[in-house]
Amino acid sequence: TTPGMILGTPQYMSPEQARGQNIDLRTDIFSFAVVLYEMIAGQPPFSGATKMDIIGSILKDEPAPLTDYVPEIPHDLEHIIVKSLRKDREYRYQNIKDLLIDLNDVKDNIGSDTKPNQQTISANAATTAQTTSGTVNQPRFSLVQFAAFLFAAGLISVIVWWFLPAQKFKNQVDTPVKTSEVVNWASSPGESEIVGSFSPDGKMVAFTSTKSGTKNIWIKQTTSGESFQVTKDDFNNKNPIWSPNGEELAFYSTRGNESGIWRIPILGGTPKLIAVIEGASSLLRFWSKSNQIYFEAKKEIFAVDIASGQIKQMTDLKSKSISPMTINISPNESRIAYVTVEDKIWYVWTNEINGGQPLKLFGFPSEIKNVFWHPDGNRVFFSALVDGTFQIFVSEPGVNQSKQLSFGERDSLVVDISSDGGKILFSSAKEESDIWGLKINESKEFAISSDINSELWASVAPDGKSIAYQSIKNLSQGNKLFYGAIFTKSLETEQQPFQLASDGFLPVWSPDGKKIAFMRVVGESYQLETVETTGNGQKPIVTDGIESVNYTVFPYNRLQTSDFSWSPDGSRIAYVSDRNGFNNIWTITADGTNNLQLTENQDSNLILNCPIWAADGKQIAFTSKTNGSDGKATFSLWLIDAETKISRQVTQKRSFLRLIGWAKEGELLLASIEGSSISALPTEVSLLVVEAKTGTIRELTRQKDTYLYNIKLSADARKIAFAARRDGKDNIWIISSNGGEAKQITSNNDPKLYFSSLEWSPNNNSIFFGKQTRYSLLSMLTNFK
């Protein structure tokens, strides 16, 4: 061949092949996606009258959405194909195996939807009746398309087996441990901790899931079958463990005014209270043959006698100045294993439950989670952070070493060990997040980023021509949200995103558009840094005392509207620091000099949040929270003069207050809910307008099923956008800052899709936001010896 010569069938070429450039495995991924697209749509994604027309289409055009041909195509399947058809190979799947994993996940979901049961039989009967009367129902996802999809998944499995080098399977040859998925489900808002436990015979698992809408207990066979819901109520039911005979489950729940351990037959029924336990952080460990239930609470092990309900503390680590990060008890009820951290080294220890000399197994240079015993009473399993991902390890008895058992790209958190020691149950999560925009007047959505990474928390440039965001590889379960890169992207051209900083999060543009401020994790602390939008001049401006950014887990919404903010003239940045042991508002000049403390708080019980400058740059508004002697929190709104440092309290309430921003001149907008709990779940939210001078409050609107932490005021303060979950789906709504009826401006029909962190354009015509999906998974390692 001649360099630069184009060889192949044009219709199935990748852009790089069409240009005569060097090709690699990602080229084949593009071509595979072309075939899969054609199998589903019935026509290719790129077409033309001549070969050159086809090549031109491949290089310039985006394929029509598959929903144009198959309206009910699964969102995840369409996303896989779109990702595989990206023009730039750097943003496609990087290997065929990752593509196979995602295809199999979709296949399993489709397969479960198409399995016959009584409901589908009834539906078929109804369809037959409608056909008889002249009405024909279109199938949701036709059998021909499903067969094509199964063929594609099977074909790609063969490709993986045949073409991947033998070195890829080295770990599989070295160890007999195998991985298999037990169950997965689409996560609901606020669902973070994924727990489960093996039945005594190891053939079933019990787990907590929100797939019914609320947290309930489910069971499933480990190898096949459908999940069965055990509890069926609106209470918060979690952390199930099995009785020794496998006929009952115990779980933790708050039901009415009683929080504690409950029991229920595995086939369902009315839960019965075993014992009242205060503290929702209690973790049930196991139900012993001696009819005791062991649980972890307050960094100690306790036991509940099932017959009497009496609770006994089994350990006394506090008296020995031991503060474990996690703790568990051995199956023979005689020993404990626990984890401590000292001088940034994480240690695994074991000891007799009634005391004695602790035995240090080994130290680990990064975080350790979830310690569990092997039934032999000698080995201990745990999950430890390796290159940013939690992997499963087992200790080697008699030596200060551990062996790594998992090697996946997603976090693997061990949650149980089977009674024969041969199976290891672990949890993980699969998450994706892309940034989208919406032109309000046209109700037209458009993609900003659709990288293989997860992108979120967008910030729009003051001129509206560019956008900044953070991009995280393998977001997993939200613990890596601060460990990504900062990118900017033009909103007017097709230029590729520009990496502004390799490590950072929460970018915010300066008012003149020449710099971006962002936060970065350095060791165990946070820094505030700036960088020029050219990518030059990155430097830290605050290196100590910076408060962490708090956020809800799924969708990822920041608790505060502003964790730091630029002054209107761009000369200073306001932020919260606890460098002197107390929360205070500080400002620093944009070049990192003249660091000034504005507030004089010396109450460690008073927490300050959300500094936002007034438009004239003379005042800063912020909120505070303090816990009273009665245990109830008080929330306040404050103003401080940036020059005189004189502050005053504008208003205070016993209900939660979240500062949204400065509304009309001299007025501030607050969001409020009853109580003081922090939750990602949609709830009823009141929007309040507060007069800055008098503190007079009036309610603007009250919105149900609204995300408290995803409300955004437009740049001109005339409109308010918020995300709400209604009829089981996330959508965006807007309302005038003068009140009135809210208007829905998106048409999301996918219940598995969630919206995060709204951001207005400076001209108030567009809104940008994150689109997120998350799946919770329970899998197991088998054949462990």
Side-chain angles (χ1 to χ4, degrees), residues 586-608:
W586 294 65
T587 64
I588 191 167
T589 53
D591 61 2
T593 61
N594 199 18
N595 201 12
L596 296 177
Q597 180 180 334
L598 297 188
T599 56
E600 298 293 340
N601 173 38
Q602 293 186 351
D603 181 0
S604 59
N605 194 38
L606 184 65
I607 307 299
L608 307 186

Side-chain angles (χ1 to χ4, degrees), residues 41-52:
Q43 61 184 48
F46 309 104
S47 59
T50 67
K51 289 183 179 181
M52 294 311 297

